[in-house]
C-alpha cells in the first residue's frame, strides 16, 4: 500500500498489529536512507521529507484509523545503519495532517512523539 502511494521511499521493514483487543491498529516502519556522502544536514532533511511522504501515503490510503504509526529512519555510517529520527503520530493527528503545508522542519511539531540523535543537526 505504501509503495503504491510513495514508490520512491525505500522501506526496510514494515510491521504492525492490525487488530488490537481494543479495535485500534498500530504499525511500525523502518526507512533505510542511502548516500553516506550526504552532509548530516541533508541527511536530516531527507529523513524528515521521507517521514512526511510516509504520513501522506497513509492519509491517501485512508489509513487514518491507526492508533499509532511509528517510523524510524536509519542512516549509513562506518558502523552500519544508525537511527537518526524516530517519530510517532496518532491516527487523530494524521487526519489533520497536510503535506502541502508541511516541510521537513515541521516534523517535530507535527509528530505525537519525536526523537533525533543528539549528534545530528536539528531539522530547520
Amino acid at each position: 500500500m505504501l509503495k503504491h502511494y510513495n514508490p520512491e521511499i525505500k522501506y526496510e521493514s514494515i510491521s504492525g498489529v492490525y487488530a488490537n483487543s481494543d479495535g485500534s491498529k498500530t504499525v511500525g516502519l523502518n526507512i533505510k536512507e542511502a548516500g553516506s556522502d550526504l552532509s548530516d544536514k541533508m541527511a536530516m532533511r531527507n529523513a524528515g521529507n521521507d517521514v512526511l511522504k510516509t504520513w501522506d501515503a497513509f492519509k491517501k490510503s485512508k489509513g487514518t484509523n491507526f492508533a499509532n504509526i511509528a517510523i524510524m529512519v536509519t542512516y549509513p555510517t562506518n558502523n552500519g545503519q544508525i537511527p537518526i529520527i524516530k517519530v510517532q503520530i496518532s491516527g487523530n493527528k494524521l487526519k489533520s495532517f497536510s503535506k502541502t503545508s508541511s516541510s521537513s522542519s515541521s516534523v517535530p511539531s507535527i509528530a505525537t512523539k519525536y526523537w533525533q540523535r543528539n549528534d545530528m543537526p536539528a531539522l530547520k
Side-chain angles (χ1 to χ4, degrees):
M1 177 272 307
L2 293 173
K3 289 286 190 184
H4 172 76
Y5 292 104
N6 237 320
E8 75 269 8
I9 297 178
K10 305 296 184 236
Y11 297 103
E12 185 175 44
S13 65
I14 300 173
S15 62
V17 177
Y18 303 105
N20 289 342
S21 59
D22 63 359
S24 64
K25 300 175 183 179
T26 189
V27 65
L29 300 95
N30 288 343
I31 299 172
K32 184 177 183 178
E33 293 288 342
S36 58
D37 56 342
L38 296 176
S39 69
D40 287 351
K41 185 176 179 179
M42 183 59 75
M44 290 298 289
R45 187 175 299 130
N46 287 349
N49 284 328
D50 282 348
V51 167
L52 293 174
K53 291 174 187 175
T54 301
W55 289 344
D56 190 51
F58 271 100
K59 188 163 183 176
K60 285 178 180 176
S61 75
K62 310 290 188 231
T64 56
N65 62 337
F66 286 95
N68 190 45
I69 298 168
I71 303 170
M72 179 173 67
V73 182
T74 62
Y75 185 70
T77 67
N78 291 337
N79 298 322
Q81 292 286 127
I82 60 166
I84 58 172
I85 292 178
K86 295 179 185 178
V87 296
Q88 292 182 20
I89 191 168
S90 68
N92 287 336
K93 273 195 132 176
L94 185 64
K95 288 176 186 174
S96 63
F97 167 73
S98 169
K99 184 176 179 290
T100 56
S101 63
S102 303
S103 67
S104 62
S105 62
S106 59
V107 169
S109 62
I110 296 170
T112 306
K113 292 183 181 179
Y114 178 82
W115 172 91
Q116 76 169 57
R117 285 185 65 88
N118 290 335
D119 58 351
M120 296 297 279
L123 283 172
K124 294 182 185 179

